[in-house]
Every structure is written in structure tokens, then in C-alpha cells.
Amino acid sequence: MDYGVAIDTIWVLLATALVFFMQAGFAMVETGFTRAKNAGNIIMKNLMDFSVGSIIYFVFGFSIMFGESIGGLFGRVHLMSDALYEHLGLTIPLYAFMIFQTVFAATAATIVSGAMAERTKFVSYLVFSFVITLVIYPVVGHWVWGGGWLSELGFHDFAGSTVVHSVGGWTALIGAYILGPRIGKYNKDGSSNNLGGHSLTLGALGVFILWFGWFGFNPGSSLSGQDVESIALIFMTTNLAAAAAAISTMFITWSKDGKPDVSMTLNGALGGLVAITAGTDVFTPIVAIAVGLIAGIVIVYGTQFVDHVLHVDDPVGAVAVHGLCGATGTLLVGVFSVDGGLLVTGNASLLLVQALGVLTVLIWTLSTSFILFKTIDILIGLRVSKEEEITGLDLLEHGLESSYSDFQYKKEIIVEEA
């Protein structure tokens, strides 16, 4: 037995399990930050985007992402991923690598759920989750991780600030824009109302689960359990960025509003995790703190920009957390990286490559998502009826009177004795 291969394989599979558990984190964040009448719908979407995504990624998506490159644009399609993939030079079994990439693909798809929550048809959600995992995400993944044109230029996105999170965030932006805001979100003068979530406790639980899962998301991307120095550094930079971003967000909201904002601070921690993901392997711990502090600024003012300027209703802040912080973290690689960063070498070439990658992924994702959502809207409709939205999706989409039946008032049935 090759013990090195065994160690690497066990490490990647352990990381896979941690990343899979992040689905629970996303489900809790989205459920807690939205209203109780839609809790069952949120849970169902998070369950099914992983289920649908797992199948379609195995059938088509993985080969589009990692098949032999065709012009640096996409991989050669192998039905059921039926190929050897020797060109990847893997040091772990193919299926270990495949399942690790599957949970990443599911993350990109589930990000969209939160931004479009509380007013999207369930069947329409299934369709766009299918397409995102089939083509939108795998094409970007091929450009960066599958030997595509961006990787040839030296673009660096270690664990997916752009590949996973920005793709999810930009798709969420277009989806929420086309879908339109929830009823009651905006007034005639353009001002915004806070349609608060029903459980900050669930939201906080989700954030802690995601933070925990990120210790698989980032360190696991090394694909090696033997490079202990690198794994230890990635653990440290991942944690420091999240902590710094939470602190940064807390103090900014405290200064602006007179009180520290709980939900914004929770999102701040997530923004720090997203931002550090691109360069977690090429940042020093001190730089990781700086990246986190910057992410906190992006979260606060990015969330306000999406809500008050773009008037895009994003119930969970997915666009700011994943789209804006993902792009910011990717760009900061070009500034702070120990391997070619502007402040380290005085050379801007890496920063320019990072900017090109961020811009290209933005254009690709916005354009393909726009076509996707518009097509769905025309063919089967994207949004539920006004009655369904007001009543709640749990009842009219899934037949659930309430996801919290013990807290529901029920009519007592009195049976008279004969």
C-alpha cells in the first residue's frame, strides 16, 4: 500500500464531508434570515439542488470542467464522466477527486437560493439549479482549474472565491433582479423596508456551520494530507480572515447606526471566508487579517448598494457575501500574494490577470444567467402568484400548513358524547 496516497485520499474525503455539511449551514442561514411561512420551501430547495446537482455533475458537468481542454474553453464531454482523466495528474483516486468537486459544484448552485427566496417557483428553481451545475459553473471551473485559458495566464483562485462564490453571487444577482422584489420590500419613493427573518438563532447556527465547513473547503483544496505546513497555514489564514471581517463589520455598523448589527456581522464573517478563499495559500496571517478587514467594509457598503441603489431584493445578502467579496478577495491576490503580488514584487502583472479573470467570469455569468432566467420565465414562469407569496410557499408549493406546527394555533374539535 502507498501510504502517501492513502493519507491524501483520507484527507480529501474528510474535507469533502466538511464541505457537504456546509449545505446544512446554507439551509440554516437562508431559513433563519427569511420568514417562517417559507421555511419548508427553503429546506426543500437546499436538499434538492444538491441532489439534482450531484447527478447532473456526474453525468455531464465534471467532464465539461475537467475533460481534455478544447481551445481552453471547456472540457471534452464524457457521458457519466467515463474517462481516465490521466491528464489531470491526480495523486488520489479519481472518484475521491470527483466527489470533492461535486460538493463544490453544489455550493455554487445553493448560493442562488437565498437571494431568490420567498417568491420563486419550486419547479423553476430545480430547472436553473440543473443548468448552473450542468454548464455555467463547469465552464468557469475549466477556465481556472481544468487547464483552461485563465489557468494558462497564471490566474490564481485556490479554492474558489471566483470559481464558486462569484459564480453563485452573480447568478443570484441576475436571478433576484429578473424575479423582482418581495411584496412590501420597497416603497413608492424607492425606500427599502426590512422584511426581517424569523430566527436569528438559526441564521447564527448556519454561519457557525459554514465557518466550520470552510476548514474543509480551503485546506481540502490542497488535495494532499501530507503537505502539513501548507494545510496549517491555510487553516490559520481562513480563520483569521473570518474573525477580522466579523470585527470589521461589527464596528462599522456600530459607528454608522449606534448599535452593532447582529445579522450584518454574521454575514461579515461569511464575507471574510469568501474573500480569503482565493489566496488562502499565498497570504501570510497578517495579510489574512487585512483581507478580512476589507471584506467587512465590502459587506456593509456592498449590501447597502445592492439594496438601496440597485433595488435588488436579496433577503440573505448573497450578492454582497459571495459576489462582491469573492471578486474582492480574488483581486487582493494580485496585491498581497507572496508569489507575484503587487506590494511584494512591485509588478502589477498578476493583479491585471486577476482583474481579467474577475471581469470575464462576471460577464460570462451575468449573460448566461440572464438568458437562463429569462427563458425559464417565458416558458414556465419564475415567480409564484401574489396569493402564494402572501400565504407562504410552504402551504401552496408543498402542502405544509407550517414548518413549526407546535407553534400553530389549531382549532379544537369537540366531540359530544352521545
Side-chain angles (χ1 to χ4, degrees):
M1 175 185 288
D2 187 329
Y3 289 103
V5 172
I7 291 170
D8 291 346
T9 302
I10 292 170
W11 168 240
V12 170
L13 293 178
L14 175 62
T16 298
L18 288 173
V19 178
F20 169 73
F21 191 47
M22 291 173 72
Q23 287 289 129
F26 281 114
M28 293 301 97
V29 168
E30 293 168 23
T31 302
F33 284 4
T34 53
R35 289 167 290 186
K37 63 183 180 180
N38 300 306
N41 176 259
I42 296 290
I43 297 301
M44 191 67 168
K45 289 194 297 183
N46 279 269
L47 171 66
M48 294 315 300
D49 62 32
F50 184 84
S51 301
V52 171
S54 292
I55 300 299
I56 195 58
Y57 190 72
F58 169 70
V59 175
F60 288 109
F62 181 81
S63 63
I64 293 174
M65 191 161 170
F66 291 105
E68 300 92 339
S69 189
I70 300 176
L73 298 177
F74 52 86
R76 188 178 304 279
V77 176
H78 299 281
L79 192 64
M80 304 295 179
S81 304
D82 186 19
L84 296 177
Y85 298 95
E86 292 178 342
H87 63 283
L88 297 177
L90 297 174
T91 59
I92 57 175
L94 175 61
Y95 287 141
F97 180 71
M98 190 179 298
I99 189 62
F100 183 69
Q101 293 300 330
T102 298
V103 293
F104 270 56
T107 299
T110 204
I111 288 168
V112 186
S113 172
M116 301 178 66
E118 303 200 287
R119 72 264 201 213
T120 304
K121 285 184 176 181
F122 181 67
V123 65
S124 301
Y125 181 80
L126 293 179
V127 172
F128 68 69
S129 292
F130 177 93
V131 177
I132 290 167
T133 316
L134 169 67
V135 62
I136 296 177
Y137 168 76
V139 167
V140 174
H142 182 78
W143 292 351
V144 180
W145 294 337
W149 68 276
L150 276 175
S151 65
E152 293 291 328
L153 292 177
F155 182 80
H156 188 88
D157 185 4
F158 181 71
S161 288
T162 286
V163 175
V164 178
H165 295 282
S166 282
V167 167
W170 301 142
T171 304
L173 174 63
I174 287 295
Y177 169 75
I178 293 175
L179 191 60
R182 291 168 291 172
I183 295 171
K185 175 62 179 176
Y186 295 108
N187 302 311
K188 291 182 179 179
D189 62 359
S191 58
S192 173
N193 297 311
N194 179 24
L195 305 180
H198 80 284
S199 177
L200 199 58
T201 307
L202 280 180
L205 174 63
V207 169
F208 281 115
I209 290 174
L210 288 169
W211 196 329
F212 175 70
W214 237 283
F215 293 129
F217 200 97
N218 285 356
S221 294
S222 65
L223 301 180
S224 172
Q226 301 177 76
D227 190 358
V228 292
E229 289 294 332
S230 177
I231 292 173
L233 172 67
I234 293 168
F235 261 89
M236 181 60 73
T237 54
T238 298
N239 188 65
L240 287 173
I247 293 169
S248 174
T249 305
M250 179 189 70
F251 278 114
I252 292 171
T253 59
W254 205 338
S255 175
K256 284 176 68 278
D257 306 325
K259 298 181 186 300
D261 187 301
V262 180
S263 60
M264 190 74 78
T265 303
L266 289 169
N267 264 353
L270 296 182
L273 290 164
V274 170
I276 197 64
T277 296
T280 183
D281 63 323
V282 292
F283 288 154
T284 65
I286 294 175
V287 166
I289 294 173
V291 170
L293 294 175
I294 294 169
I297 298 170
V298 173
I299 281 294
V300 175
Y301 294 102
T303 301
Q304 290 183 349
F305 177 77
V306 171
D307 188 13
H308 300 152
V309 178
L310 298 182
H311 290 111
V312 170
D313 181 13
D314 178 1
V316 303
V319 177
V321 169
H322 301 281
L324 297 178
C325 284
T328 300
T330 306
L331 291 173
L332 290 177
V333 171
V335 177
F336 294 122
S337 172
V338 297
D339 186 18
L342 176 63
L343 295 184
V344 177
T345 66
N347 191 323
S349 58
L350 178 58
L351 178 58
L352 293 175
V353 170
Q354 296 297 106
L356 175 64
V358 167
L359 179 61
T360 307
V361 172
L362 172 68
I363 294 171
W364 162 260
T365 308
L366 292 183
S367 58
T368 53
S369 299
F370 182 85
I371 294 170
L372 170 62
F373 288 122
K374 277 294 185 183
T375 301
I376 293 173
D377 198 27
I378 292 170
L379 294 179
I380 60 175
L382 195 58
R383 184 166 184 146
V384 299
S385 67
K386 182 178 180 180
E387 176 193 2
E388 288 175 300
E389 184 176 346
I390 293 173
T391 303
L393 304 188
D394 282 7
L395 179 61
L396 296 181
E397 284 270 87
H398 306 284
L400 287 172
E401 288 191 13
S402 172
S403 294
Y404 303 93
S405 58
D406 286 350
F407 295 94
Q408 184 181 21
Y409 288 107
K410 296 181 179 180
K411 294 181 181 179
E412 294 183 359
I413 299 176
I414 301 175
V415 181
E416 295 182 1
E417 294 183 2

